[in-house]
Amino acid sequence: MQPSQSDLAARSLRAVWHPCTQMKHHERTPLLPVARARGAWLYGPDGGRYLDGISSWWVNLFGHSHPAINAAVADQMATLEHVMLAGCTHEPAVALAERLSALTGRTLGHAFFASDGASAVEIALKMSFHFWRNQGEAAKQEFVCIDNGYHGETLGALGVTDVALFRDAYGPLLRHAHRVATPDARQAAPGESAADVATRALADVSKLFEDRAGHLAAIIVEPLVQCAAGMAMHDPEYLRGLRKLCDEHGVHLIADEIAVGFGRTGTFFAHEQAGIRPDFLCLSKGISGGYLPLSVVLSTDRIHAAFYADDLARGFLHSHSYTGNPLACRAALATLDLFDSTDALVTNRKRFDSLEKALSPLAAHPHVAHLRRRGGILAFDVREEGSLVEGTSAEGRCAERRPTDASFARRYAANALAAGALLRPIGQTVYLMPPYVLDEEEITLLADATLTALAQTLESRT
Ligand SMILES: *Cc1c(COP(=O)(O)O)cnc(C)c1O
């Protein structure tokens, strides 16, 4: 017999310490037990089903339990489950590195594998610093990050993350980075365009670079959408400007496409929309189709060459035990095959146009501001009467802004679940980032659940 939902939830709360969670809040907010999943759907042990409107924290691309990825992982499991990647190599890691390089026009031809997004960010930071040291520019030790940016929660990644709720408690442990203005297009004054906001934000970078470039190793940016900030979107002009400033001042450009890569913004990589290439590209989340932990940092010939020497200590002596795990690499290769076989970037355009259209009633909604979209990421900010928080608050991926049970995000999430969709607003921002498999019926259902949950949440506001 299946355990009942409440049994499983109770056992979980006793034995499992859940991520990004104040555990006490689960005294009142139930956990969602998931027994199995297929396509866009999660199924509870008691038969309920929920459309995964946020791709399970932005990792899933082609639906859950996809037959082609299942087959690839099963085949790999029967052949080679894992071997260390120091001194050894294997076809899945090599093939994946080659294909990712090809996807960058062979400009980022060196793949350093790791296990999750935060470790990819750590690697890019360490590599940038070490590059400058190997070049005889040891003073270049500092990093630059962008207001409201999010790059993960290990200590190095937190140092370049500007989400107070995650960072402040650990402040004394961190090596803080310089922060520059966000290009968030929501800051546009009346009559201003998103490109104008980008230009203003670039002036801030330019000033810092002029003062400090001799000490700066790299700037890290989430291209086009600062996701954990509440899907803050910016004009591609910002990335073009960053590239130019980085070239002029000798500062590395690290593109953190852990969330926005793999087609999420409409192009395969987000930075393509600016017509630029970064010096380092961090990838994770969707890379394995949402199956297994895997990340990679891609870098240029120039970076790689600076470490290539007889001297051991000039090498990049960083490692994780499961680096380049063959099962994860095979899941990634099968995911790349699905981009080709489903013509995903093209079919997604139609799919997300449709979803945008289904959400169009929100444009005139009196409590909704900044309805926006970039590729397959759709978002809007909700103003509750008397509690207008202009949607620039960065609360990261924790749903709550305030530790109160009445918070908008938690009430909204509960209402959405009751309407059949898994959604997790960030503060006052509701967003949709579903997998690339929704048909018209599922699009209608997701849009209806989004609107219904909004109406109910506003009705029940306290
Ligand atoms: C999720 C995320 C990370 C961290 O990845 P983890 O796998 O959760 O460590 C880093 N950067 C961005 C932009 C992310 O969205």
Side-chain angles (χ1 to χ4, degrees), residues 125 128 132 142-145 216-220 251-254 280:
L125 298 176
S128 171
W132 293 117
E142 297 168 11
F143 299 106
V144 183
C145 63
L216 300 177
I219 183 167
I220 184 164
V251 176
H252 289 142
L253 179 59
I254 303 174
F280 297 93

Side-chain angles (χ1 to χ4, degrees), residues 267-289:
T267 44
F268 193 81
F269 295 123
H271 66 260
E272 291 169 27
Q273 292 181 47
I276 58 134
R277 296 289 182 193
D279 300 298
F280 297 93
L281 178 59
C282 301
L283 302 171
S284 187
K285 290 203 166 102
I287 191 172
S288 68

Side-chain angles (χ1 to χ4, degrees), residues 123-353:
I123 286 163
L125 298 176
K126 283 177 69 178
M127 248 184 205
S128 171
F129 163 83
H130 198 164
F131 169 92
W132 293 117
R133 202 170 67 121
N134 282 350
Q135 296 289 97
E137 298 207 52
K140 289 170 80 66
Q141 303 187 353
E142 297 168 11
F143 299 106
V144 183
C145 63
I146 294 163
D147 282 347
N148 298 343
Y150 175 89
H151 300 287
E153 291 164 62
T154 53
L155 293 176
L158 260 188
V160 291
T161 286
D162 179 35
V163 178
L165 188 63
F166 298 160
R167 193 196 53 207
D168 288 358
Y170 309 102
L173 301 182
L174 304 178
R175 193 170 180 283
H176 292 273
H178 299 275
R179 262 165 41 202
V180 290
T182 172
D184 183 349
R186 289 174 296 182
Q187 296 180 336
E192 249 190 347
S193 68
D196 295 333
V197 181
T199 304
R200 231 188 306 127
L202 284 167
D204 203 31
V205 182
S206 176
K207 188 166 162 296
L208 175 67
F209 280 17
E210 267 159 33
D211 289 350
R212 199 76 199 155
H215 296 269
L216 300 177
I219 183 167
I220 184 164
V221 61
E222 297 168 78
L224 299 186
V225 188
Q226 292 182 292
C227 293
M231 305 302 155
M233 302 183 183
H234 59 256
D235 194 276
E237 185 55 36
Y238 184 69
L239 302 170
R240 276 189 290 278
L242 276 191
R243 180 69 274 177
K244 191 158 165 283
L245 288 170
C246 285
D247 289 341
E248 282 168 12
H249 293 275
V251 176
H252 289 142
L253 179 59
I254 303 174
D256 176 351
E257 297 218 14
I258 288 165
V260 296
F262 294 92
R264 230 27 120 169
T265 67
T267 44
F268 193 81
F269 295 123
H271 66 260
E272 291 169 27
Q273 292 181 47
I276 58 134
R277 296 289 182 193
D279 300 298
F280 297 93
L281 178 59
C282 301
L283 302 171
S284 187
K285 290 203 166 102
I287 191 172
S288 68
Y291 267 63
L292 287 155
L294 178 69
S295 65
V296 66
V297 178
L298 303 179
S299 59
T300 61
D301 288 345
R302 179 159 181 258
I303 305 280
H304 185 262
F307 291 82
Y308 198 82
D310 290 319
D311 179 7
L312 174 67
R314 275 183 77 97
F316 190 60
L317 307 184
H318 181 105
S319 62
H320 297 282
S321 305
Y322 281 98
T323 290
N325 173 259
L327 300 172
C329 289
R330 274 298 290 282
L333 288 165
T335 299
L336 291 179
D337 289 343
L338 284 169
F339 272 95
D340 297 336
S341 64
T342 66
D343 203 5
L345 297 178
V346 172
T347 53
N348 271 354
R349 215 169 297 149
K350 195 168 155 285
R351 177 173 290 120
F352 292 113
D353 281 351

Side-chain angles (χ1 to χ4, degrees), residues 1 20 33 180 303 454:
M1 239 190 52
C20 203
V180 290
I303 305 280
L454 179 63

